[in-house]
Amino acid sequence: MRKVLLSLLVAMGLPTAAWCADGDTFKMKIAEGVEMTFKVISEEEKTCQVGEGWYCCIEDYTGPVTVPSTANGYTVTRLGSRCFNGSSTLHVTSVTLPETITTLEDLVFYKSDITELIFPNSVTEIDRYPFYDCEKLESVTLPQGMTKIPDNLFDHCAIKSFTIPSRITEIGDDAFSSSGLESIVVPATVEKIGSSAFSCCENLTHAEILNPDAELGDFLFSNDTQLSSFSFAEGTKTVAERMFNECMNLSSVKLPSSIESIEDYAFSGCESLSSIEWPEGLKRIGACAFERTGLTSAVVPSYVESVGGSAFCYCKNLTHAEIPNPETKLGGSIFSSCQSLKSFSFAEGSKIVPNAMFTDCRQLTSVTLPASIEEIEEHAFANCESLSSIDLPEGLKIIWNTAFTWTGLKSITLPASLTSIGQDAFSCCDNLTEIQSLIVEPFEIDKSVFGYSGNVETSIYETATLIVPEGSEELYKSTPAWNMFYNLVTTGISQPQVQTAAGQHFTLDGRKAAQGQRGLQIVKQADGRVVKTFIK
């Protein structure tokens, strides 16, 4: 009944204030033939907002709009949600706001045709997405008293350029996300930049952050596909998490010597980034920091203290890698699925081959393990189908589950120092035909250790020959699952000696041994004698 009376009073040109309550709506003529809808915020304080929330404040209109400072005796202090929402009947080209406006609710100008907006200095609060899908927006002037660019202010709008005022100290989350920005310079006055502030800006080609101490949120320039270079300010200490994630055209990055940490996923998916110059102060490379990049070489400096899991995984162009400091803490899967990596040498003093370090490195043919290696962790060389041989050092204690599953190994020598071999450690190695064990007193292993070859009908126990020290045959024949080997022979040496020998070297099946090949061999010496010797 109240709304009916209000409508009658408005039609008669009579005052309505005495009849309104909080939340009531009314219309007022703002121009010839143009009525605007208002909603009472507080009857007691005599304040109202433009629009009733989620509905256009004007119907059937195209052109500029001037919002009045008062409406029917109420001070206009707020723009309601979607009040200038672009639609088939409303096409607002510009909006002039009074100095009474303090607040904008979300999506105020959603899909509108405005090209410019000057916020009055009275505005203190702007809710999310005010210019969402404003495809013609070119210029915005912020209130003089505003020191933070609000969250989502320019999210999904067409604005191409914006000069951040020197009074701004903070940029909110997603402030310019998915906007039309082509260039941005963040002044030295900005102390904090929120998450995804400039992400998904497909036209952004140039960006600078002048304050090296600014707190940076994650995903800062993520998915900015046209950004090709970036230089950090001297004094910057951190490359933020996912800062350049999926910046596919990023090819040049300058890191000052002050950089101490490259956070997780910092350059993930930067497929055009083929090289990086490591800063002298770098201590940490985060997980997946360079995954799926175009790096061709990864020589981790000796002063780096830790490299996170999957730091260089899926780098399809990576052909060379080094980690010279054995004390550098390594995560798992560091070089996983680096299809072009062919060789790797561990530093002297290294004790562990980390979990899945080379999984799916299908071109890996050569790995050098120093005598200090004690453990080879799970999946370390899984699916390295080109790895036909590897020298396991004396001193190796544990080979974990699936460490060599689906590799191209043809033969393997197990050192006497081994105390444990995990499940499926050598399963599905199609080419494995010779296993030489130097373990005098065998320990029990799971039957999956030398389980199925590529042909699931046949196991390695059936196709490979197990060679054991003389005097240990019966122990092997009574110990699971060593006792599953069909072909178990002895070395003829009760205590195999690791040595070198001059002469012509042959494998046990009469083939000429490759230069540097390890294991039990037949050696034809210069004096004509033939001896059976274990070569290291």
Side-chain angles (χ1 to χ4, degrees), residues 1 42 61 71 74 84 101 129 190 194 202-203 223 266 279 295 297 319 345 355 394 405 410 450 463 469 527 536:
M1 183 66 180
S42 171
Y61 178 73
Y74 295 91
F84 293 108
I101 295 292
Y129 310 112
V190 174
E202 296 180 354
N203 299 320
N223 285 283
L295 289 182
S297 176
T319 59
S345 296
N355 172 53
E394 186 63 38
T405 187
K410 296 179 179 179
F450 297 101
T463 59
D527 59 6
K536 182 174 183 180

Side-chain angles (χ1 to χ4, degrees), residues 401-444:
N401 299 349
T402 64
F404 292 94
T405 187
W406 290 104
T407 59
L409 288 177
K410 296 179 179 179
S411 64
I412 192 72
T413 299
L414 304 175
S417 54
L418 270 177
T419 60
S420 176
I421 304 176
Q423 295 179 359
D424 290 290
F426 296 95
S427 68
C428 301
C429 292
D430 294 1
N431 302 320
L432 188 58
T433 59
E434 183 179 284
I435 300 158
Q436 298 180 7
S437 177
L438 304 183
I439 305 167
V440 176
E441 296 184 5
F443 47 83
E444 185 174 335

Side-chain angles (χ1 to χ4, degrees), residues 28 33 118 131 197 199 275 289 326 329 341 344 369 473 486 520:
M28 188 184 82
I118 299 175
F131 303 109
S199 68
S275 64
K329 184 178 179 181
L341 186 63
F344 188 86
L369 301 177
E473 304 101 302
Y486 285 29
L520 191 63

